[in-house]
Amino acid sequence: QKVPSYQPTAGGASLPGSPLFVDKDGDATLDAGDVYKMDPDPKETFGFGNTFRYRQWDLTAFFYGSVGSHAYDLNYGWANPYTILTYGSAGIQQLSNQIWSSANTKGTYPSVNYNEGTAALLVQSDVGLENTSFVRLRNLTLGYTLNNKAINSFARSIRIFVDAQNVFFLTGFKGGDPEVTYYSVKGAYA
């Protein structure tokens, strides 16, 4: 595909394997009129739970999630060829087959030629921006209630339980936990 004339040249932005930027307003230049501002907040949030009882046993589950939010996949920083070359990062093996090269033209991340930090863009591009919709099993509690004559002399009943938090989550977000999207948090690269 031919590189548009308005494509930045700094930072390797006009070389093969670099993202192609969109001239939204059609004036053949990349300027403020081409910036799309995305709201990172979810369009909808939800939660639901229930308690199931069988004799003295009870099982409680609480799920919650969100739909329509977006965040940057911070793992991209580990696969960013510029970061690998300048900061001594070894990269992430899972992302190595996703970096564009002449041998891997189906790669979805820019090639080693592209360095967004020096591309002289007005704002950060959407490279690495992903949908962070998810559903999480926040709490799962299993309990057993003791209720007999020996206990009734000093208490109505005693409930013994185990509780697990953040049991699992379902998401299409490749960056790990969609609720942890900040630099320097839980293994982020910078």
Side-chain angles (χ1 to χ4, degrees), residues 109-164:
Y109 287 121
S111 74
V112 295
N113 299 323
Y114 178 68
N115 176 2
E116 186 165 306
T118 61
L121 300 175
L122 293 172
V123 294
Q124 187 174 2
S125 75
D126 63 355
V127 171
L129 187 66
E130 294 183 24
N131 186 315
T132 56
S133 299
F134 71 95
V135 175
R136 178 186 302 275
L137 176 52
R138 175 71 172 106
N139 284 84
L140 185 65
T141 305
L142 177 64
Y144 185 81
T145 303
L146 298 168
N147 186 359
N148 59 39
K149 290 181 184 181
I151 293 170
N152 292 141
S153 64
F154 62 89
R156 217 183 279 174
S157 63
I158 295 176
R159 182 170 177 264
I160 301 167
F161 66 94
V162 293
D163 183 62

Side-chain angles (χ1 to χ4, degrees), residues 19-116:
L20 292 176
F21 297 99
V22 176
D23 178 22
K24 248 175 48 172
D25 59 9
D27 65 357
T29 60
L30 285 182
D31 54 23
D34 303 311
V35 174
Y36 176 77
K37 187 173 180 181
M38 180 174 277
D39 184 357
D41 295 331
K43 290 181 176 43
E44 300 290 333
T45 58
F46 58 88
F48 55 93
N50 203 348
T51 300
F52 305 94
R53 299 186 195 291
Y54 179 73
R55 296 185 181 173
Q56 281 105 327
W57 291 96
D58 60 86
L59 178 67
T60 302
F62 176 70
F63 294 85
Y64 77 97
S66 71
V67 176
S69 55
H70 292 82
Y72 284 94
D73 178 354
L74 296 181
N75 284 328
Y76 172 68
W78 291 106
N80 178 335
Y82 174 76
T83 304
I84 291 169
L85 293 172
T86 58
Y87 297 113
S89 169
I92 291 182
Q93 180 62 33
Q94 298 92 312
L95 297 178
S96 64
N97 65 346
Q98 296 177 27
I99 296 173
W100 189 94
S101 70
S102 57
N104 183 28
T105 57
K106 297 204 184 297
T108 55
Y109 287 121
S111 74
V112 295
N113 299 323
Y114 178 68
N115 176 2
E116 186 165 306

